[in-house]
Structure formats: C-alpha cells, structure tokens
C-alpha cells in the first residue's frame, strides 16, 4: 500500500494527507475547494486527476468529508468510488457519518469485492497535525491489519473495535456525545463564573488540578475562549451532526437519553442562530448571550 488517494482536504484531511506524504506515501488529493487542493499540492501532493484515474493508480483511497450526504455521494453516487472501482481496492472512510451509511457502503462494496473500513477519528485538528489521532475502526480485522501502516502514518492510538463495520462509528458517537456534554458544561460553568466575580484564567489554574478538570475544558478554554477566537477546530455544526447520529442510535436501540435530547436542541438552536461555522467552544458565547465573531 504505497499509493494513496485522499478525498476531502479540509481541517482534518489536509494535515492527515500531509502526514502520509511525510511517511513517504505517494498521495493523490482531491477536494471541491481549490484552495485546499493548492495547500496540499504545496506540501508535495499530486492534484488534478479524476476519480477514475485515482482508482487506477491507488491501492487505497481515504476520505474525510463533512456530512453523510457528501460521503454517500462520493462512495455510492453514480460517479462514486464503489461504482467505479474494481475488486481488491481498499476504501477507508475517516469521516463521522451515520452507522447505517457505513453498513450500506459495506454492502455495496462487498458485492464488487471491494474492501471497506469505517475508521472515524478523534483528537481534533491538533491531533491530525501532530499525528496523535485516535482511530476507531470497524470492519474486517485482516484488512485492518494490512492497513495498519497507513493508520500509523496519521495517528497514535489505532483501535480495531470489531468486525462490524459500524462499530467504530458507534464508538465515536459515544465519544462525541460526551464532547457535547463537556462543551455545554464548560460553557455554562464559565458563564456562571464570569458573573460571580471570578477571573477565568485563575479559575482554570485551580480547576485544572481539581475534579472539574477535563480535556475539553482545557481545549475549549485555553485554545478558544481565553483568546476570544472561534475559528474551527471542530465546527459547532459538525458536533450537532454527531449528536443527531447519537440520538438516532439511541432511538434505534430503544435507549432513552433525556438530557442528550435537551443538549441536541441547544446545539441546534446555536447552529440556526449564526454559530454554525464557529468552533464548538463558541457555545460559551451563545450561552452568555454574546454574538459570534465569525460569519
Ligand atoms: P471540513 O469541512 O473542514 O472538511 C471537509 C472537506 O471536504 C472540505 O474541504 C470540503 O470542500 C470537502 N468536500 C466536501 N464534499 C466533497 C466532495 N464531494 N468531494 C471532495 N471534497 C469534498 O471538515 P473537517 O473538520 O475536516 O471534518 C471532516 C470529517 O472529520 C467530518 O466527518 C468530521 O465530523 C470529522 N472529524 C472532524 C474533527 C475536527 O476536529 N474537525 C475531529 C474528528 C472528526
């Protein structure tokens, strides 16, 4: 597996593909956004080839796309990967999509002898840049083992969850449900602190060594709230998308999640009121009644 195609060179895909280049893979990139393609090209990647050509040249094609719709189009569309590819190629989706879509892609891929792994990631843009991502991979263990050098070039903690292709996604949705809780918790706690005559830097110093500490508190406060900078990162609309998938999963499994439903409504309201493109930590601004800084 030396030649890799990469579709979706956004906040995550660009640094991930750059790390593949750094590990001496030959990487062919593609994005609807030409600026993203140029940045990839400047890092040594090849652009300007068609999907057919990418399939022809590559042993494995990775995707990092923003929505289930985009993933469905790129994999299952008329001009999509599964339609155009032939037996033996490996397709790996690192996006967070609905588990049901993982299953549909696998079903169509299997009909043609195409290998498919659903491999969502955690660790954020920083993890993608520093090669410290966690991968939660669902699908065939033997295919996973063969793809290990590719995962290792982009991440640090590489987990095979189980043979079900949607198992990595289900794991990731539980992770992001927790991120939704922590981000809302940090937002409300800091709003209260600010209105209780407390200095937020000093508060962080103390709570960071107390049980109120969390990785999300550190991330959201130190990298975003403290600098009043909400360029993503992980956009609020992407977190809202994942909370929706988590709630669908709960409904499918007849699990009642009363607080999660309120959480989803909170993010959906923020998304509809101008905070969608900001980093998820912007929920603090929404909760404290401040307008968004970007878009
Ligand atoms: P992003 O919006 O920054 O990047 C997505 C890229 O895909 C964009 O550059 C867009 O132009 C491109 N794209 C969309 N449709 C396309 C198509 N049909 N063909 C080619 N390119 C297309 O999103 P992101 O933050 O990089 O997230 C990507 C995925 O990774 C999402 O599923 C997200 O949930 C997941 N994720 C993100 C983070 C994070 O911190 N940003 C962390 C973990 C997982």
């Amino acid at each position: 597996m030396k030649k890799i195609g990469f579709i979706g060179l956004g906040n995550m895909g660009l640094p991930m593909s750059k790390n593949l280049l750094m590990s001496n893979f030959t990487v062919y990139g593609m994005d609807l956004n030409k600026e993203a393609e140029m940045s990839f090209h400047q890092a040594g990647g090849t652009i300007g080839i068609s999907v057919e050509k990418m399939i022809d040249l590559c042993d494995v094609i990775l995707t990092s796309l923003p929505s289930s719709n985009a993933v469905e189009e790129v994999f299952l569309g008329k001009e999509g990967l599964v339609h155009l590819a032939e037996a033996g190629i490996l397709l790996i989706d690192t996006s967070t999509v609905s588990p049901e879509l993982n299953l549909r892609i696998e079903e169509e891929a299997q009909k043609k002898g195409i290998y498919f792994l659903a491999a969502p990631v955690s660790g954020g843009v920083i993890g993608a840049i520093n090669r410290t991502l966690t991968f939660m991979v669902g699908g065939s263990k033997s295919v996973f083992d063969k793809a290990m050098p590719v995962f290792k070039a982009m991440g640090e903690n590489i987990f095979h969850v189980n043979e079900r292709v949607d198992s990595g996604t289900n794991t990731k949705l539980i992770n992001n449900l927790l991120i939704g809780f922590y981000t809302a918790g940090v937002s409300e706690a800091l709003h209260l602190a600010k209105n209780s005559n407390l200095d937020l830097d000093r508060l962080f110093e103390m709570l960071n060594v107390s049980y109120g500490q969390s990785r999300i508190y550190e991330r959201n406060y130190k990298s975003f709230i403290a600098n009043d900078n909400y360029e993503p990162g992980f956009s609020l609309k992407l977190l809202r998308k994942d909370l929706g998938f988590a709630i669908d999963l709960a409904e499918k499994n007849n699990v009642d999640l009363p607080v999660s439903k309120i959480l989803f409504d909170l993010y959906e309201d923020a998304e509809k009121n101008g905070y969608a493109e900001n980093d998820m930590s912007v929920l603090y601004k929404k909760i404290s009644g401040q307008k968004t800084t970007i878009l």
Side-chain angles (χ1 to χ4, degrees), residues 31-235:
D31 197 296
L32 297 178
N33 176 347
K34 295 303 146 203
E35 270 178 45
E37 285 195 343
M38 276 319 291
S39 305
F40 171 73
H41 184 52
Q42 277 155 16
T46 306
I47 54 172
I49 61 166
S50 64
V51 178
E52 286 95 330
K53 188 80 185 158
M54 185 182 273
I55 288 169
D56 231 29
L57 290 170
C58 297
D59 320 301
V60 44
I61 297 180
L62 291 152
T63 49
S64 174
L65 295 162
S67 64
S68 281
N69 282 347
V71 170
E72 179 155 9
E73 186 194 320
V74 167
F75 280 83
L76 299 180
K78 259 208 327 235
E79 301 296 309
L81 292 170
V82 174
H83 184 63
L84 297 175
E86 287 179 10
I89 197 167
L90 169 59
L91 307 177
I92 304 176
D93 184 26
T94 70
S95 326
T96 309
V97 299
S98 76
E100 175 272 329
L101 179 57
N102 295 157
L103 292 165
R104 270 197 295 134
I105 294 174
E106 181 185 58
E107 192 185 340
E108 294 305 314
Q110 270 176 354
K111 285 182 193 162
K112 295 188 67 181
I114 294 166
Y115 300 111
F116 173 62
L117 296 172
V121 296
S122 183
V125 175
I126 286 291
I129 293 170
N130 294 341
R131 218 165 151 159
T132 54
L133 289 174
T134 296
F135 279 85
M136 305 160 198
V137 187
S140 155
K141 173 76 164 64
S142 60
V143 174
F144 167 83
D145 287 340
K146 285 194 194 110
M148 187 55 99
V150 176
F151 290 125
K152 275 282 174 199
M154 298 180 288
E156 195 167 65
N157 301 298
I158 321 295
F159 294 100
H160 180 252
V161 183
N162 66 48
E163 295 269 332
R164 275 192 64 111
V165 77
D166 58 354
S167 59
T169 297
N170 289 348
T171 309
K172 163 78 184 180
L173 295 183
I174 308 291
N175 181 68
N176 282 22
L177 183 59
L178 285 170
I179 291 177
F181 271 95
Y182 293 141
T183 291
V186 168
S187 303
E188 288 205 349
L190 296 194
H191 179 41
L192 176 61
K194 188 100 182 170
N195 286 282
S196 307
N197 303 312
L198 291 172
D199 174 76
L200 296 191
D201 281 342
R202 194 88 178 99
L203 183 78
F204 178 78
E205 201 184 324
M206 294 180 280
L207 298 198
N208 198 35
V209 289
S210 304
Y211 272 141
Q213 187 269 353
S214 73
R215 274 179 80 176
I216 290 292
Y217 179 18
E218 182 176 7
R219 173 201 185 276
N220 287 4
Y221 183 64
K222 294 299 266 186
S223 300
F224 297 93
I225 298 168
N227 307 321
D228 197 30
N229 170 19
Y230 297 93
E231 291 282 342
F234 186 41
S235 65

